[in-house]
Amino acid sequence: MATRLLQSKLLLHNNLRRHLTSSSSTLTAVPPLNITQKAEPATTAIETETAKPNNSIIDINDHQKLFGLLSTSKLLRAAFNLHLAAIESIVDLGTWVMNSKMMEMELARDVVLGTVKHTFYEHFCAGESAAEVRRCVGKVNEAGLRAMLVYAVEHTNDKTECQQNLQGFLQTVQSVKSLPPSSVSFVIVKISAICPMSLLERVSDLLRWQQKDPSLNLSWKLNTFPIFSGSSPLYHTQHKPEPLTPEEETELQLGHGRLLKLCQECVDANVPLAVDAEDTLIQPAIDYMTYSSAILHNKDGRPIVYNTMQAYLKDAKDRLFLATREAEKMKVPMGFKLVRGAYMSSETKFASSLGCESPIHNTIQDTHDCYNDCASLMLEKIAKGSGAVVLATHNIESGQLATVKAKELGIDKGNQNLEFAQLYGMSEALSFGIRNAGFQVSKYMPYGPVEMIIPYLLRRAEENRGFLSASNLDRLLMRKELNRRLKAVIF
């Protein structure tokens, strides 16, 4: 019964995949990136949020300096796309259409995907082809930023697809080798793309039950860091799960083997691998596989494998503290990517369907406080010579606080264990502001066929909806810069 309930929750994220009529090979067959040609100028434009401490070292008010590298046509298109994303009725209509039976009709589907491609897709994604990705990577490098390459597949239950997806991630790593050193800061992977979702659910159930009942023996479990804290919600698993079958254990070994192969490829290419966080339904299994892989590959003081911590979860700070403490005890250099989180609506709905309290913080300020506390913890560890962090945030105050904290702690701005990051197509002002302050900044750049990236785009649309969204500052600054350019032409 619990499994059925858990599976029904996944439909909240997979409705589109159910309606798309393309074959699985269409969704996953992206040619390997061949970034050997000279990059052509492309563009990006982006967003951000609130307040400014008196001792801030980030200037996000000089729109001419921030957007000086963007052509007027690109700036107009970026402003237009962010304006569309802020109109809630348009976001609601687009989401409804993409999740409707209209997507089963070839003509309607082609029209919808064509419209998406020339608006939100071009704004938030690096492209479909190797040439398009080269242009984007080249442009962010020219702007003084780095790229986090994301082969944007997720959520599969097909074993053949898992293997195909692995090849896509491996090809991405191979392509990094042809780029200038440090132009790509990370390769990103979602475990749900290389290990079946149903198996991740089963493993997560067993790990949660072991947290409830430590006497439960999991013979397949490898050495890992703490996955739960005393405050972690365990409502997903309401009944004692059956042990993994021999077939499931074999499939788990295969899934973990795919991750280990990707880790080794990143070691050989000298590029870190960041494992994205996903739904709390399967996050315990993701943490388990990530930590056990990090123990094997993070050596010589440099983390290759990074886990992702979602600060909108009430237990995030406790879990981060326990994991970093155990990593230090085991002398394993561990890296973390800190984000706020992207599954708020579905997490709350699922908890409510079981009559349980949401795992998400009760207020946005609680989430901000948790994020800033986690960032402070990791910065202090970096200053002491342990740990590494990617501060992925669109919140200006968090960016300002972190840069000031790093400066106070004496962390060198070129320290390879500290990176700031924003999504491609979002928080341009913050990215350039932090870059101008001298810190390393990356853009999270998903690529792949339009239909494959729809789930990602739906999450971005949800984050940007409403005129009080995080993109408000970018829209304001873009308008000011466009007005300045218009006046310069007229006068």
Side-chain angles (χ1 to χ4, degrees):
M1 174 180 169
T3 299
R4 288 197 298 271
L5 284 170
L6 298 180
Q7 290 173 335
S8 67
K9 180 262 183 181
L10 287 177
L11 295 178
L12 294 170
H13 294 301
N14 293 320
N15 280 341
L16 182 72
R17 287 177 62 92
R18 197 177 61 224
H19 290 308
L20 290 174
T21 58
S22 297
S23 66
S24 61
S25 61
T26 301
L27 291 177
T28 59
V30 179
L33 296 181
N34 178 18
I35 317 179
T36 56
Q37 303 174 13
K38 179 175 175 57
E40 301 173 24
T43 166
T44 153
I46 306 168
E47 69 147 93
T48 177
E49 259 185 61
T50 54
K52 181 174 183 178
N54 292 331
N55 59 345
S56 173
I57 59 177
I58 302 176
D59 180 5
I60 46 84
N61 295 310
D62 188 343
H63 48 84
Q64 183 175 358
K65 185 176 182 180
L66 291 173
F67 300 121
L69 293 174
L70 295 183
S71 68
T72 299
S73 63
K74 300 297 185 182
L75 195 59
L76 278 168
R77 186 161 56 187
F80 175 73
N81 285 329
L82 286 178
H83 182 80
L84 283 182
I87 301 175
E88 296 197 40
S89 58
I90 290 180
V91 174
D92 289 338
L93 176 61
T95 302
W96 177 83
V97 169
M98 287 190 287
N99 285 317
S100 72
K101 290 186 177 181
M102 289 177 61
M103 298 300 291
E104 297 176 1
M105 298 182 289
E106 184 176 357
L107 179 59
R109 180 174 173 275
D110 289 345
V111 170
V112 171
L113 293 181
T115 302
V116 170
K117 179 175 181 178
H118 294 293
T119 52
F120 298 117
Y121 178 89
E122 289 184 353
H123 186 82
F124 293 113
C125 303
E128 292 186 273
S129 68
E132 290 172 339
V133 175
R134 282 196 301 272
R135 287 195 291 270
C136 283
V137 172
K139 184 58 181 180
V140 297
N141 289 167
E142 290 173 9
L145 307 174
R146 306 205 289 175
M148 305 174 85
L149 288 182
V150 190
Y151 180 65
V153 284
E154 58 184 81
H155 288 190
T156 183
N157 259 322
D158 186 276
K159 298 175 184 178
T160 301
E161 276 192 4
C162 287
Q163 191 60 35
Q164 291 174 344
N165 293 340
L166 172 64
Q167 294 307 310
F169 290 118
L170 293 174
Q171 289 164 359
T172 302
V173 178
Q174 282 296 319
S175 296
V176 172
K177 296 179 181 180
S178 66
L179 287 166
S182 299
S183 60
V184 173
S185 57
F186 285 86
V187 168
I188 308 294
V189 64
K190 275 188 165 59
I191 300 296
S192 66
I194 60 174
C195 189
M197 284 288 294
S198 57
L199 181 60
L200 293 174
E201 289 180 47
R202 291 273 288 122
V203 171
S204 294
D205 278 338
L206 287 162
L207 291 170
R208 273 188 289 263
W209 200 263
Q210 187 183 58
Q211 177 70 9
K212 293 180 179 181
D213 179 9
S215 67
L216 178 64
N217 179 42
L218 302 177
S219 59
W220 43 264
K221 188 177 179 182
L222 302 174
N223 201 11
T224 185
F225 302 145
I227 296 170
F228 304 99
S229 73
S231 60
S232 294
L234 304 174
Y235 57 78
H236 308 72
T237 308
Q238 300 187 339
H239 305 283
K240 183 177 181 179
E242 294 294 322
L244 293 183
T245 65
E247 293 77 13
E248 287 175 322
E249 286 198 30
T250 298
E251 188 55 43
L252 178 59
Q253 291 175 357
L254 289 173
H256 199 187
R258 294 184 190 105
L259 177 58
L260 292 175
K261 185 173 183 178
L262 182 57
C263 291
Q264 186 58 54
E265 196 74 16
C266 287
V267 170
D268 295 342
N270 195 33
V271 59
L273 176 71
V275 178
D276 264 350
E278 303 189 49
D279 313 78
T280 57
L281 175 69
I282 58 173
Q283 192 61 43
I286 293 171
D287 288 344
Y288 161 69
M289 294 175 67
T290 302
Y291 290 147
S292 59
S293 300
I295 289 171
L296 294 175
H297 287 284
N298 290 5
K299 301 175 182 178
D300 303 322
R302 181 173 181 240
I304 282 289
V305 182
Y306 283 59
N307 199 14
T308 298
M309 198 67 68
Q310 299 183 102
Y312 70 177
L313 296 174
K314 295 174 181 175
D315 66 341
K317 184 164 61 174
D318 291 341
R319 287 191 295 115
L320 178 63
F321 173 79
L322 293 173
T324 53
R325 185 177 67 178
E326 187 65 18
E328 290 175 352
K329 181 179 177 181
M330 296 174 64
K331 301 187 184 308
V332 176
M334 188 64 207
F336 286 90
K337 176 161 65 80
L338 295 183
V339 302
R340 276 170 170 75
Y343 303 93
M344 181 179 296
S345 178
S346 57
E347 293 285 10
T348 301
K349 287 178 181 177
F350 181 59
S352 177
S353 72
L354 298 178
C356 298
E357 181 181 346
S358 173
I360 308 296
H361 284 297
N362 295 332
T363 69
I364 186 63
Q365 189 58 49
D366 289 341
T367 294
H368 293 334
D369 292 343
C370 180
Y371 186 95
N372 295 334
D373 287 346
C374 289
S376 180
L377 171 67
M378 292 308 300
L379 289 171
E380 289 172 359
K381 291 188 177 299
I382 292 172
K384 295 176 182 177
S386 69
V389 69
V390 178
L391 297 176
T393 180
H394 300 151
N395 182 280
I396 290 179
E397 184 176 11
S398 290
Q400 290 168 334
L401 291 171
T403 53
V404 170
K405 177 82 171 180
K407 182 179 179 181
E408 291 174 348
L409 291 171
I411 298 174
D412 184 76
K413 292 179 180 179
N415 191 314
Q416 293 301 306
N417 290 330
L418 172 60
E419 187 90 16
F420 290 85
Q422 287 78 42
L423 298 174
Y424 182 70
M426 295 176 67
S427 295
E428 194 83 316
L430 181 58
S431 295
F432 290 148
I434 296 175
R435 176 211 62 184
N436 291 343
F439 292 92
Q440 297 180 128
V441 182
S442 289
K443 305 304 291 187
Y444 182 104
M445 302 174 67
Y447 75 91
V450 178
E451 58 266 36
M452 186 175 82
I453 296 184
I454 291 295
Y456 175 86
L457 292 176
L458 289 175
R459 292 196 294 273
R460 300 294 76 79
E462 183 65 28
E463 289 174 359
N464 282 278
R465 65 190 296 136
F467 283 94
L468 295 179
S469 73
S471 64
N472 188 44
L473 178 60
D474 263 14
R475 296 196 305 271
L476 174 62
L477 291 174
M478 286 177 182
R479 285 197 299 270
K480 288 184 176 181
E481 175 60 13
L482 288 168
N483 286 335
R484 183 194 69 80
R485 295 183 187 186
L486 178 61
K487 290 178 181 177
V489 172
I490 295 175
F491 301 106

